[in-house]
Amino acid sequence: PAYVSTVQAWSPEVELGSGLHVDTAAVGEAARDADGMRYLPVRLDWRIAEQPAADLKVSVRLVDAGGATVSQTDDDPIGPLLPLTTWQPGDEKPGYFVLEIAPEVAPGQYTLAVQVYDPASGAPVGGAEIGTVEI
C-alpha cells in the first residue's frame, strides 16, 4: 500500500507469459514481530498486453545464493477480487504481497524472483528474477 516506504525499486519490464508484464517492482522496509518473524512488503506493477485465457497465479520468492527458496507467497496478481480474465488489454494494476521471513534466515543478499503458473496444472508459464534484496 501507499503507506509503505520504498526501500528498493527496479524497472525489470519483463514479460512473464500470456501477455502479463511486470514493469516496476519495489520492496519496503521489513517489519519484525515479537517472535523475530520478519515481513517484507513487495509491490509488483502489472500490465496486461492481451486478454488472458486463464486466471494465472503468481509466486513471489526470496531465493538464497544456493538457489533455495527461503520465503514464498502465492496469490492472484492483485488478489482474488479481480482475477486476470477480468482484465482488458492495456490494463495496469499494482499488486501487493508480503513475504514472511523466518528468524533463522541469515542476514545477507537474496534474489527476489517472480513466477507465473497455471493453478490447475501447476505448470509454469513464465518467470524472472527481479532484483537483489538485502535482508
Side-chain angles (χ1 to χ4, degrees), residues 66-91:
T69 299
V70 299
S71 181
Q72 175 178 340
T73 187
D74 290 50
D75 203 347
D76 294 302
I78 64 167
L81 296 179
L82 197 58
L84 275 179
T85 53
T86 66
W87 296 24
Q88 298 300 312
D91 279 356

Side-chain angles (χ1 to χ4, degrees), residues 3-123:
Y3 63 83
V4 174
S5 298
T6 298
V7 174
Q8 290 178 276
W10 306 271
S11 296
E13 299 179 13
V14 293
E15 199 268 334
L16 299 175
S18 293
L20 186 61
H21 297 254
V22 172
D23 288 334
T24 58
V27 295
E29 187 171 341
R32 187 183 299 263
D33 69 12
D35 296 325
M37 184 70 80
R38 290 166 283 187
Y39 300 91
L40 182 69
V42 177
R43 187 190 80 233
L44 300 174
D45 294 325
W46 301 100
R47 177 174 46 88
I48 196 83
E50 58 192 55
Q51 182 68 42
D55 290 320
L56 303 172
K57 295 283 187 182
V58 176
S59 180
V60 179
R61 302 174 183 171
L62 273 185
V63 180
D64 68 15
T69 299
V70 299
S71 181
Q72 175 178 340
T73 187
D74 290 50
D75 203 347
D76 294 302
I78 64 167
L81 296 179
L82 197 58
L84 275 179
T85 53
T86 66
W87 296 24
Q88 298 300 312
D91 279 356
E92 297 177 359
K93 302 180 184 307
Y96 299 96
F97 302 85
V98 175
L99 289 169
E100 294 182 348
I101 305 168
E104 61 270 11
V105 173
Q109 291 193 342
Y110 294 85
T111 300
L112 180 66
V114 178
Q115 184 177 51
V116 176
Y117 64 94
D118 179 343
S121 67

